[in-house]
Amino acid sequence: MLGAATFAAGLVASFGAYLLASPILRSNGLRPGSLTDGPVLRAVVGTAALLAVVAVFSLGVATILRRSLPAVTVVLLLLLVPQIVATGLPVAAAVWVERLTPTAGFAIQQTIRTYDTAIGPWAGFGVLCAYTAVVLAIAARRLARRDA
């Protein structure tokens, strides 16, 4: 239920952001991609899916830790710190950090492939989904043990 509600809200927000940003980009001489372009549509819908998976991941972490402040801290550390650290690493090391951590899920928002692209959009999203599945499995097991 949490994932579906977050996906719906994320979809509205993603499309709204695209529709609001497009005229601004055009007025500054840039050409935003069209929603009929596959990568752009994937990025917009993928952002909603990313938000939904992060919400479920966060729920799993919160269930494991049973405290909200540590859970928020852990989720933010797992999602943001690898991206920050990767900017200070050599490209080869940064690519591996971005491939092996939950931040790989942000690859779903890529519309252009560059020389330092760490992982493809769907593969990166799959990495985040795998982390989420593992966290949910651990959370379910701990919840069953504690509340049995």
Side-chain angles (χ1 to χ4, degrees), residues 58-83:
S58 302
L59 177 67
V61 171
T63 302
I64 292 168
L65 299 178
R66 293 183 68 122
R67 300 274 185 270
S68 59
L69 182 60
V72 169
T73 303
V74 167
V75 169
L76 288 175
L77 286 173
L78 289 172
L79 293 176
L80 299 178
V81 169
Q83 288 184 337

Side-chain angles (χ1 to χ4, degrees), residues 46-146:
T47 298
L50 173 70
L51 292 172
V53 173
V54 167
V56 174
F57 177 77
S58 302
L59 177 67
V61 171
T63 302
I64 292 168
L65 299 178
R66 293 183 68 122
R67 300 274 185 270
S68 59
L69 182 60
V72 169
T73 303
V74 167
V75 169
L76 288 175
L77 286 173
L78 289 172
L79 293 176
L80 299 178
V81 169
Q83 288 184 337
I84 295 167
V85 168
T87 62
L89 295 174
V91 173
V95 164
W96 282 104
V97 168
E98 292 175 2
R99 283 180 183 165
L100 299 175
T101 61
T103 61
F106 290 102
I108 196 76
Q109 297 175 318
Q110 296 172 1
T111 56
I112 300 171
R113 190 162 183 92
T114 61
Y115 76 96
D116 63 344
T117 299
I119 192 167
W122 292 111
F125 187 68
V127 169
L128 177 61
C129 288
Y131 271 98
T132 302
V134 169
V135 165
L136 285 178
I138 294 169
R141 181 177 170 145
R142 291 202 61 187
L143 192 60
R145 280 185 157 175
R146 282 190 287 223

Side-chain angles (χ1 to χ4, degrees), residues 11-35:
L11 198 57
V12 169
S14 296
F15 274 107
Y18 173 81
L19 294 174
L20 288 172
S22 291
I24 295 169
L25 291 171
R26 278 189 206 95
S27 72
N28 288 319
L30 300 172
R31 277 190 13 197
S34 169
L35 279 175

